[in-house]
Amino acid sequence: MNEPLPDANRASSGNQPILFETALQAADAAVLAAASRHLKNIEVAVLKGAWHGFKYDEIAEETGYTPEYIKHDVGPKLWQLLSSSLGERVSKTNLVAVLSQRAAQSNGSAVLQNGATPLPSTADRSAIAPPDQAPTQASTVRPQDLDPPVGLVALNSPVYVDRPPSETRCYDEILRPGALIRIKAPSQMGKTSLMVRVLEQARRLSEGGDRPIHTVALSLQQADSQALNDLDGFLRWFCALITRKLRLPHRVEEYWSPTFGSKGNCTAYFEDCLLPDLNAPLVLALDRVDDVFLHPQIAHDFFALLRAWYEEAAYGDSGNPLWQHLRLVIVHSTEVYLPLDINQSPFNVGLAVELQEFTPAQVTDLAQRYGLSLAAADLQQLQELVGGHPYLVHRAIYHLARQDLTLDEFWQTAPTDSGIYANHLHRLLRQLQEHPDLAATFDQVAKSSAPVEVDQMQAFKLRSMGLVHLHGNRVALSYGLYRRYFGNMAPQH
């Protein structure tokens, strides 16, 4: 860490290296002008580490991320962003020269008296702050410029919070031929936001390669009731929609024969039509897989089919190597409560990623991105109300940062029909009222101050809604928000 900076990392044309803070201002201003956003905390940390001559592994160690994520994701994206924003090629080796020249041109910022940027000593590990401690001034956004947090967080959003190692594990796995990734978490925990980033990672890494990686995102919520009641109709719809998304000729009928059955026809369509036509990897992401659980007449065969395709890829040269081109991402909210044969289930193979709630550091990081400073007592009170639930936390920070309400108003109105969670609470209430047995189970949990044992399937469904946390074979209410709201308004059943 004390080795001298390489020559390429010094300013050219007689310019002296400038203070990092000045370089950061120049870089952030260029990005804001070109991309309409500020640099993110993790980007600032990587930029600072590279500025001081740290290697990617050292930056990763200090930020708490994996070296692969810093080296293959954050770093390349950062240099590409700076290159497009500054109008010239920026890399890890020339950034000091480029930013020094840009800063000198823009405002003639002062340089160090001795003409060199000092290297931090090994003991001075604070030169690279972890993401939740990184400088936030250049990473804040104007809440007025952002849409309210509803649904997935857009790819270019400055307020997406990484939850390591979930992202990195997915990014690494999706590069493996025949991969299968299972992303699981309760409702509104960020599963779809992670899914689209996995697809983007696959597309980005294929740029400049011999063959592109094709990606298709398919929400099984799109299937209508008629398709979900019949396996043959469902698989025809499945193949036709994937074909349309890939913009390939519709040839489903040509490959559908009563002789081979629905699963055989679907397999033949992939094996003889889709995969050969693409002749390149295909990442197929299936969102809202839970919706199929409700239709056992198709669920068993459909999931057995996905498992069979995964195994075909695992056979490698002994089978059809085309199946190694298929990579699956399966997204679901609840535990798999269908009685699937262990050898025919796709839910016990591949990479399992269960998204966790935000940590206090991640909540603080998100607040800082909005320019909102939360006192330790306020942070603790927020977590007592909504835990680290990404959507609930994000919504609170968004409205507080916009000054739509004060903290006192937030605490008073949050668990009421006039608060910022009203629509969220009403949706949960309607779901409970539509399922009296589930509502009765929830009442039992809500009235207890300790975890209680309930029917396993009911526990899974309540957890998928985010209403409870599992404690072994027992469940307990997940957040104070629900206890305060449903305690005053018990669901009718």
Side-chain angles (χ1 to χ4, degrees):
M1 296 291 281
N2 288 317
E3 57 188 304
L5 285 170
D7 291 340
N9 216 23
R10 296 193 180 275
S12 59
S13 304
N15 288 331
Q16 296 173 311
I18 58 176
L19 291 168
F20 172 72
E21 288 72 17
T22 305
L24 177 59
Q25 291 175 3
D28 188 65
V31 171
L32 180 61
S36 299
R37 74 168 177 86
H38 290 285
L39 288 171
K40 301 176 183 177
N41 283 358
I42 184 61
E43 293 170 334
V44 173
V46 172
L47 183 64
K48 187 171 187 178
W51 178 272
H52 288 298
F54 286 113
K55 299 176 181 178
Y56 280 128
D57 288 355
E58 296 168 326
I59 297 173
E61 180 183 353
E62 293 307 312
T63 58
Y65 289 94
T66 65
E68 292 78 11
Y69 179 53
I70 298 298
K71 183 176 182 179
H72 299 297
D73 188 88
V74 180
K77 285 183 178 178
L78 176 59
W79 312 136
Q80 183 179 12
L81 173 65
L82 291 175
S83 297
S84 61
S85 300
L86 293 167
E88 60 180 301
R89 182 177 176 274
V90 179
S91 67
K92 191 172 183 287
T93 57
N94 75 347
L95 69 96
V96 173
V98 173
L99 291 179
S100 295
Q101 186 175 25
R102 175 56 62 98
Q105 290 173 349
S106 61
N107 56 21
S109 297
V111 297
L112 292 177
Q113 293 299 315
N114 61 3
T117 302
L119 275 172
S121 66
T122 304
D124 185 16
R125 307 299 285 183
S126 62
I128 311 174
D132 53 304
Q133 300 173 7
T136 57
Q137 184 176 0
S139 300
T140 57
V141 296
R142 280 170 41 88
Q144 293 80 2
D145 296 336
L146 296 177
D147 294 328
V150 178
L152 70 87
V153 181
L155 278 172
N156 62 348
S157 173
V159 293
Y160 177 80
V161 177
D162 286 325
R163 278 174 277 178
S166 297
E167 287 84 1
T168 306
R169 293 177 67 197
C170 290
Y171 296 160
D172 291 343
E173 184 70 12
I174 204 62
L175 301 181
R176 190 178 65 80
L180 187 154
I181 300 173
R182 295 177 282 118
I183 302 174
K184 183 183 75 171
S187 177
Q188 295 182 305
M189 283 282 290
K191 300 182 298 299
T192 305
S193 296
L194 175 57
M195 180 194 80
V196 299
R197 281 160 176 79
V198 173
L199 298 181
E200 175 63 17
Q201 173 75 352
R203 287 191 292 265
R204 188 187 67 80
L205 292 178
S206 72
E207 293 175 359
D210 296 334
R211 291 180 297 181
I213 295 180
H214 300 274
T215 61
V216 171
L218 177 60
S219 173
L220 297 185
Q221 189 181 31
Q222 297 177 25
D224 58 31
S225 57
Q226 183 176 357
L228 288 169
N229 285 327
D230 174 67
L231 179 66
D232 191 72
F234 175 76
L235 293 181
R236 284 176 185 255
W237 167 84
F238 183 71
C239 290
L241 192 55
I242 293 172
T243 302
R244 179 190 297 173
K245 286 179 174 287
L246 289 170
R247 299 184 179 179
L248 294 175
H250 179 80
R251 301 165 62 186
V252 174
E253 301 306 324
E254 298 178 30
Y255 285 85
W256 227 260
S257 166
T259 304
F260 299 106
S262 302
K263 290 196 293 184
N265 288 328
C266 186
T267 298
Y269 188 73
F270 270 77
E271 195 169 60
D272 300 338
C273 183
L274 289 183
L275 296 178
D277 282 1
L278 293 175
N279 193 30
L282 168 63
V283 179
L284 177 58
L286 305 178
D287 199 5
R288 295 293 299 265
V289 170
D290 315 72
D291 288 12
V292 180
F293 295 169
L294 303 176
H295 302 271
Q297 64 273 24
I298 68 168
H300 290 82
D301 285 321
F302 178 61
F303 293 135
L305 184 62
L306 297 181
R307 170 65 178 263
W309 290 350
Y310 172 76
E311 292 182 344
E312 283 284 351
Y315 294 153
D317 294 337
S318 63
N320 187 337
L322 275 174
W323 285 105
Q324 292 193 336
H325 286 333
L326 182 64
R327 303 166 191 185
L328 295 169
V329 181
I330 299 176
V331 181
H332 58 109
S333 295
T334 186
E335 304 288 344
V336 182
Y337 51 77
L338 290 170
L340 298 175
D341 187 313
I342 190 173
N343 297 312
Q344 295 184 332
S345 171
F347 298 102
N348 55 11
V349 293
L351 172 66
V353 175
E354 185 162 2
L355 282 179
Q356 302 300 314
E357 296 185 356
F358 285 166
T359 65
Q362 289 166 339
V363 174
T364 301
D365 176 32
L366 179 62
Q368 289 175 341
R369 297 190 198 191
Y370 277 103
L372 179 67
S373 179
L374 286 175
D378 294 330
L379 176 62
Q380 182 178 355
Q381 193 171 356
L382 179 62
Q383 291 203 290
E384 290 173 355
L385 185 69
V386 296
H389 190 287
Y391 167 75
L392 299 177
V393 167
H394 198 162
R395 192 163 185 84
I397 289 174
Y398 171 82
H399 286 285
L400 290 170
R402 281 172 50 95
Q403 298 182 350
D404 295 331
L405 72 173
T406 65
L407 267 172
D408 286 341
E409 291 170 338
F410 169 69
W411 304 131
Q412 292 172 10
T413 63
T416 71
D417 290 331
S418 61
I420 63 172
Y421 299 128
N423 290 337
H424 171 80
L425 295 169
H426 292 167
R427 177 180 61 82
L428 292 173
L429 183 61
R430 284 195 302 272
Q431 288 179 284
L432 291 171
Q433 290 175 336
E434 290 169 1
H435 301 88
D437 291 344
L438 193 62
T441 301
F442 178 71
D443 280 348
Q444 179 186 353
V445 177
K447 291 174 181 176
S448 175
S449 58
V452 297
E453 189 168 353
V454 299
D455 175 77
Q456 186 183 56
M457 189 175 297
Q458 300 284 57
F460 289 162
K461 290 179 179 179
L462 289 173
R463 182 177 184 272
S464 74
M465 296 167 65
L467 287 170
V468 302
H469 285 154
L470 300 181
H471 297 266
N473 293 327
R474 298 172 179 269
V475 299
L477 213 59
S478 51
Y479 310 119
L481 175 71
Y482 299 146
R483 185 173 301 281
R484 291 174 61 185
Y485 179 77
F486 290 105
N488 296 328
M489 185 184 298
Q492 300 297 315
H493 56 271

